Amino acid sequence: MMNLTTRRVLYVAYPLLTVSEESAGGAEQMLWTLEREMYAQGISTTVAASDGSRVSGELFSTGDPCTRPDDFERRNLEHQNKTMEFIRSNAGQGRPFDLVHDQSGGFWQCAGEVDAPVLATLHLPRNFCPGQYFENVPANVSFNCVSESQARNFLHLKSMLGVVPNGILLEHFSANLIPANDVRRNGLLWLGRICEEKGAHLALEIAARAGLNINIAGQVYPFTYHQQYFEREIAPRLARMPNAAFISSPPKEQKLQLLRGARAVLITSVVEETSSLVAMEAAACGTPVVAFRRGALPEVVKDGVTGFLVDGVDDAIQALHKIGQHKIGQIESEACIQYAQDNFSSKVMSERYARLYAQLKQCQTEIVSV
């Protein structure tokens, strides 16, 4: 472990919404968790994010979060410009950052103007990025992926440092947890950002055909195509399904109740997911997952232990026919919890990132000394 007391790290968030424990997006949740762990270990942490974010260290507000549809380009430019000004100001005051950890998906493209190593964590599948996106990468930028399946699509990046799987704050899901076998579970849960690629409409179809109650919980982002998807595919299904309910942006305690009270969590993504915090959180609550076999989901969902990996709607319905109060087939709640504790620790995630930080700082020191 590096000497944490002498480090200053700037985390650059995705610019659209706030960063907090209750963020809906996986990148925001992962940043919040990682920054909290690093702060607890003694690193001086600052997060450049939208106003209203709640972090453990210092918050540098880059502006208000988006409220108008399709305002991302303006907001992203504002976010990047203010972050760059902040980096320069700190350097001018003799308080430069030792490292910039970019979680925004794009700030790294400005890194040529930053006199510090920049680590960019990639959260999206490769096909979500423009074809020429990774040409002319600044020399001080390194990348990491969050799963092995994602990394296989980024083999061309010479500055790829490897994979650091995401983790969750396990104690938040296990604190005051009712013994798994005493929990009365009812219905299904779908949780996440409500957009076409996450496939909430397929979760509603599965619930309807299986004859089970379902809660759709999450947030519709301020993009027209997200809002149109909700109005076109989700709202009509909710209107004709008396056993379905929509819960918008549930706060932490309600989210925990939903996770702990579901017989199963459905993950119906139609894209190659790079990770799944929802699957990790479900396991930590002792709740089985039925997930489409896409992208990194086989790395997160242990088939036959924490849930079932399926190949579409029909397979998901067959898995749910085995549903019971405390298990789906051979899936035991206690086994889910144990698997989460063994594999999804945020402390382990932060230790792996600390090693990457030390590696990057050492490389910079060697370059300067040449």
Side-chain angles (χ1 to χ4, degrees), residues 162-275:
V163 173
V164 180
N166 292 335
I168 60 174
L169 202 61
L170 290 168
E171 55 265 37
H172 278 200
F173 298 92
S174 59
N176 303 315
L177 190 61
I178 298 171
N181 289 329
D182 293 337
V183 175
R184 298 292 295 177
R185 299 181 180 277
N186 178 45
L188 306 175
L189 173 65
W190 184 98
L191 177 65
R193 284 189 299 110
I194 299 176
C195 54
E196 189 163 7
E197 59 263 29
K198 297 293 185 180
H201 63 291
L202 297 176
L204 287 165
E205 179 182 346
I206 289 166
R209 289 175 56 185
L212 295 169
N213 298 337
I214 187 169
N215 288 313
I216 301 293
Q219 185 173 4
V220 182
Y221 275 28
F223 292 122
T224 295
Y225 72 97
H226 286 197
Q227 295 168 346
Q228 289 175 343
Y229 166 74
F230 183 86
E231 294 301 324
R232 183 182 70 250
E233 301 289 349
I234 304 303
R237 285 177 167 86
L238 291 170
R240 62 177 180 260
M241 290 177 62
N243 63 334
F246 172 55
I247 302 167
S248 179
S249 302
K252 172 192 168 185
E253 290 304 321
Q254 186 178 18
K255 174 182 170 181
L256 287 174
Q257 291 173 3
L258 290 167
L259 283 165
R260 292 170 179 172
R263 292 191 184 186
V265 171
L266 297 179
I267 300 178
T268 50
S269 300
V270 297
V271 296
E272 303 303 306
E273 289 286 2
T274 59
S275 184

Side-chain angles (χ1 to χ4, degrees), residues 8-164:
R8 296 191 72 230
V9 177
L10 174 66
Y11 292 94
V12 183
Y14 186 61
L16 191 66
L17 299 175
T18 57
V19 173
S20 75
E21 187 177 4
E22 297 176 355
S23 296
E28 291 93 339
Q29 291 181 56
M30 178 268 185
L31 188 156
W32 181 88
T33 303
L34 176 62
E35 187 266 342
R36 181 184 185 278
E37 292 286 357
M38 292 300 192
Y39 179 84
Q41 294 176 35
I43 292 183
S44 175
T45 60
T46 303
V47 179
S50 293
D51 192 37
S53 296
R54 300 190 298 275
V55 300
S56 297
E58 177 187 359
L59 171 66
F60 171 68
S61 172
T62 64
D64 293 330
C66 288
T67 56
R68 299 180 307 223
D70 305 327
D71 194 30
F72 176 78
E73 294 301 329
R74 180 205 62 80
R75 172 70 188 112
N76 187 48
L77 182 61
E78 174 187 55
H79 179 66
Q80 292 188 350
N81 288 341
K82 289 190 175 181
T83 299
M84 188 61 68
E85 291 172 7
F86 182 64
I87 292 171
R88 290 171 180 154
S89 175
N90 274 262
Q93 297 169 20
R95 300 176 64 248
F97 290 102
D98 296 294
L99 181 137
V100 176
H101 191 164
D102 179 23
Q103 304 267 5
S104 73
F107 180 79
W108 62 266
Q109 295 175 309
C110 309
E113 304 175 45
V114 177
D115 189 20
V118 175
L119 175 64
T121 296
L122 302 173
H123 291 284
L124 297 176
R126 176 64 184 91
N127 62 354
F128 276 41
C129 307
Q132 311 303 315
Y133 196 65
F134 294 100
E135 291 190 359
N136 303 315
V137 174
N140 60 331
V141 173
S142 299
F143 298 95
N144 79 277
C145 288
V146 296
S147 65
E148 296 293 343
S149 65
Q150 180 195 27
R152 286 193 289 272
N153 293 307
F154 286 96
L155 295 176
H156 66 290
L157 280 182
K158 296 179 180 179
S159 49
M160 175 62 66
L161 295 182
V163 173
V164 180

